[in-house]
Amino acid sequence: MKAYFVLFVFVCISCSGSQKIVSPTPKSRALDALVEKAKFEVTSDQASPLLTSSMAAISNSGLLGNGNSAGNINLIGNPNYLKVEGDTISADLPYYGERQMGGGYNSNAGIKFKAVPQNYSLTKNETNQQYQINFQISGEGAENFTISLVLFPNWKSSLQINSSQRTPIRYSGEVQALKEK
């Protein structure tokens, strides 16, 4: 009976999840310097809108173009950015999805803002060397955004945007140093 107990404990210990610790690399240290200076830009190459029946209908009609689907749209060649310059954050991103309310004539179809964010938080996960940036910001008109940005040590990014007037959307892209003017 004691042998079964020892075997059970051994199996439990060996099956327990272990976190793989990622050692800092020159590339991740360079990202640390960018984030510390608060001078970087995220350019997205892929948008992943919330898959709704309306987005599926647009995809089925062929309006999204070759290689795109209702849940995955290629942004390569489509200018877009999210810039962090000190305490100001600005963005100009294309939007694919459903607008729930608001908008109107002559309103911007994309996601645009330039302001000082509220409830800004920046945390670094030392285990996997990635940054999590969360904030809320006001856009053009009465639209408000809740943003979650993850910066990975290989300079890739994941940007989640929740809006007060639109369905959520996620962008995947790359981080780069802000070009000096």
Side-chain angles (χ1 to χ4, degrees):
M1 185 70 174
K2 192 174 187 178
Y4 286 117
F5 178 73
V6 172
L7 181 63
F8 175 74
V9 170
F10 178 73
V11 168
C12 287
I13 291 173
S14 64
C15 291
S16 67
S18 64
Q19 289 190 340
K20 183 178 178 185
I21 297 175
V22 178
S23 298
T25 63
K27 198 168 187 176
S28 71
R29 286 189 189 105
L31 181 63
D32 292 343
L34 273 185
V35 172
E36 186 177 313
K37 286 193 293 185
K39 286 197 176 280
F40 61 89
E41 177 178 9
V42 173
T43 305
S44 300
D45 54 15
Q46 199 163 359
S48 301
L50 182 67
L51 185 57
T52 62
S53 59
S54 299
M55 284 300 294
I58 290 171
S59 178
N60 292 337
S61 70
L63 292 174
L64 293 178
N66 292 337
N68 295 322
S69 67
N72 205 3
I73 299 168
N74 187 343
L75 297 179
I76 294 175
N78 188 346
N80 64 79
Y81 65 87
L82 181 134
K83 292 180 185 176
V84 175
E85 297 178 83
D87 63 350
T88 302
I89 299 177
S90 60
D92 188 355
L93 298 160
Y95 178 75
Y96 302 91
E98 292 182 30
R99 188 169 207 127
Q100 303 299 316
M101 60 185 244
Y105 297 110
N106 298 324
S107 66
N108 185 17
I111 295 174
K112 281 190 172 188
F113 55 80
K114 182 173 185 176
V116 176
Q118 297 96 29
N119 303 324
Y120 183 88
S121 71
L122 168 70
T123 55
K124 181 178 181 185
N125 185 332
E126 295 292 339
T127 304
N128 54 20
Q129 301 295 313
Q130 68 185 27
Y131 285 93
Q132 175 78 43
I133 301 171
N134 296 315
F135 59 92
Q136 295 168 335
I137 199 162
S138 297
E140 294 180 350
E143 191 168 14
N144 297 310
F145 301 103
T146 301
I147 313 270
S148 178
L149 174 63
V150 180
L151 305 177
F152 298 99
N154 62 353
W155 289 47
K156 298 290 183 185
S157 67
S158 176
L159 174 64
Q160 172 78 34
I161 299 180
N162 294 324
S163 167
S164 61
Q165 298 180 3
R166 311 173 200 218
T167 56
I169 188 166
R170 188 178 64 79
Y171 299 90
S172 301
E174 294 186 355
V175 184
Q176 56 196 7
L178 205 53
K179 296 175 180 83
E180 297 295 328
K181 296 177 181 176

